[in-house]
Amino acid sequence: MAPTPTAKGTVPFREYRTWYRVTGQPGSGRPALVVVHGGPGSTHDYLIRLADFAEHGWPVVHYDQLGNGGSTHLPDADPGFWTPQLFRDELDNLLHRLGIADDYILFGQSWGGMLAAWHASTRPAGLRGLVVANAPASYPLWLSEMDVLRAQLPPGVDDTLRRHEAAGTTDSDEYLEAMLVFYSRHVCRLDPWPGELMASYLEAVTDPTVYRTMNGPNEFHVIGSLRDWGVIDHLPRIDVPTLVLSGRHDEATPVTVRPYQDLIPNARWEIFEDSSHAPHLEEPERFTEVLGTFLDTVGAPGARTTTVSGG
């Protein structure tokens, strides 16, 4: 079998550059699968396995959002520069620059799921389907559920976390050690973490500008500009088939995910019983099956008539 073609480069976005990678050949008969990573302030690396879908005829587009990875870094930008609208505009720009805006499917993970849902709510003509993976519908919901998950940590862990949060010492080794207890339960339950997940984590640590400005020091202490933001009001306007994914042990708990199921008219929800925030890494075979079935349903009409079962 011939190797799947891969193209990498950057496209202009305002006076900046957005890095992208295309695996497969757009325009070859199936919609492009556009992968929107989380964070905000992470990179595409931890989602690179989705490129495997190119072997089944789906052109797969990864990109690094502005401020991280291969895209333009802006460590001195005013905090007000980093907004959800900036990243929605960047996604819109990428779709048009790559010439795929008339035929694509969006896969958004975590923050990227919120961004993808917001984009979908504008009803772009070329969008064929939407996948919202491990994404809360709002940060107020997320924060309320973080308190629930933190209360379930081993004795003393949350006390340590809160002591450092109150003191502003979230960079301390003791805080980091306690933080990793939460991460090993609710971010990725594999030990050790896969290399691609570590790659994204280290990229965010190397330049934490976006993550710290919009989110905060970690996943469960959201004190950045996103703390009051959400997409709940936009969900009823989404008019494409939507697959919602989450893990049984996910930091995106059912309470935070349920609005997608309840408010998007044509949404199905699949829960991965042995996963937390990264089912594509934690249960890769089942993930491939579930996503592949959905892609066949929305991207190749008539190829399959089965639909993904609800969670």
Side-chain angles (χ1 to χ4, degrees):
M1 180 181 295
T4 304
T6 301
K8 301 177 183 179
T10 63
V11 296
F13 170 56
R14 301 179 183 173
E15 60 265 47
Y16 316 113
R17 308 291 299 188
T18 299
W19 180 93
Y20 70 88
R21 165 184 164 140
V22 179
T23 309
Q25 188 62 52
S28 57
R30 285 186 159 181
L33 176 63
V34 181
V35 181
V36 187
H37 68 69
S42 186
T43 61
H44 79 285
D45 300 86
Y46 75 101
L47 293 166
I48 195 61
R49 291 192 197 183
L50 272 75
D52 291 348
F53 281 95
E55 297 175 6
H56 304 286
W58 304 98
V60 181
V61 177
H62 288 85
Y63 74 104
D64 287 335
Q65 293 163 25
L66 192 67
N68 289 90
S71 296
T72 305
H73 288 236
L74 296 159
D76 299 321
D78 184 273
F81 173 81
W82 303 108
T83 65
Q85 185 68 56
L86 171 76
F87 291 104
R88 200 183 90 182
D89 291 348
E90 182 186 32
L91 174 57
D92 292 345
N93 178 75
L94 179 77
L95 295 170
H96 285 91
R97 293 281 185 177
L98 294 181
I100 57 176
D102 60 348
D103 194 25
Y104 65 101
I105 297 166
L106 276 187
F107 178 99
Q109 200 274 340
S110 198
W111 138 263
M114 303 176 75
L115 187 62
W118 189 26
H119 170 92
S121 74
T122 67
R123 299 183 173 179
L127 182 64
R128 305 291 175 239
L130 171 68
V131 183
V132 177
N134 318 101
S138 82
Y139 279 95
L141 279 179
W142 176 272
L143 282 168
S144 67
E145 286 296 283
M146 289 304 105
D147 285 338
V148 174
L149 295 180
R150 290 172 63 144
Q152 297 169 359
L153 294 173
V157 174
D158 194 38
D159 292 340
T160 298
L161 293 169
R162 293 188 186 277
R163 184 174 74 251
H164 285 286
E165 288 162 5
T169 51
T170 57
D171 288 329
S172 71
D173 289 343
E174 186 182 37
Y175 186 84
L176 177 61
E177 185 176 342
M179 182 186 85
L180 292 177
V181 175
F182 180 97
Y183 277 39
S184 66
R185 287 184 169 210
H186 301 299
V187 177
C188 183
R189 296 166 72 86
L190 300 177
D191 184 16
W193 277 10
E196 57 261 54
L197 182 57
M198 283 303 303
S200 283
Y201 179 77
L202 292 173
E203 286 270 9
V205 170
T206 301
D207 186 349
T209 303
V210 180
Y211 188 80
R212 294 217 164 193
T213 300
M214 298 183 74
N215 190 85
N218 56 52
E219 297 293 278
F220 50 82
H221 188 46
V222 181
I223 55 176
S225 58
L226 286 179
R227 61 188 178 273
D228 297 318
W229 189 72
V231 296
I232 291 175
D233 291 346
H234 300 286
L235 301 181
R237 285 191 50 79
I238 296 174
D239 63 354
V240 294
T242 300
L243 174 64
V244 182
L245 306 176
S246 66
R248 179 62 66 191
H249 309 283
D250 207 324
E251 57 181 350
T253 67
V255 171
T256 73
V257 174
R258 183 161 296 281
Y260 294 107
Q261 167 76 22
D262 291 347
L263 297 175
I264 297 175
N266 189 10
R268 292 181 177 272
W269 184 5
E270 190 81 19
I271 296 176
F272 289 73
E273 295 295 336
D274 296 320
S275 294
S276 56
H277 201 52
H280 66 288
L281 300 174
E282 295 166 290
E283 295 181 66
E285 292 183 1
R286 180 157 177 259
F287 174 86
T288 297
E289 178 185 357
V290 169
L291 181 55
T293 298
F294 178 76
L295 292 178
D296 283 349
T297 301
V298 301
R304 278 192 195 170
T305 57
T306 55
T307 56
V308 179
S309 60

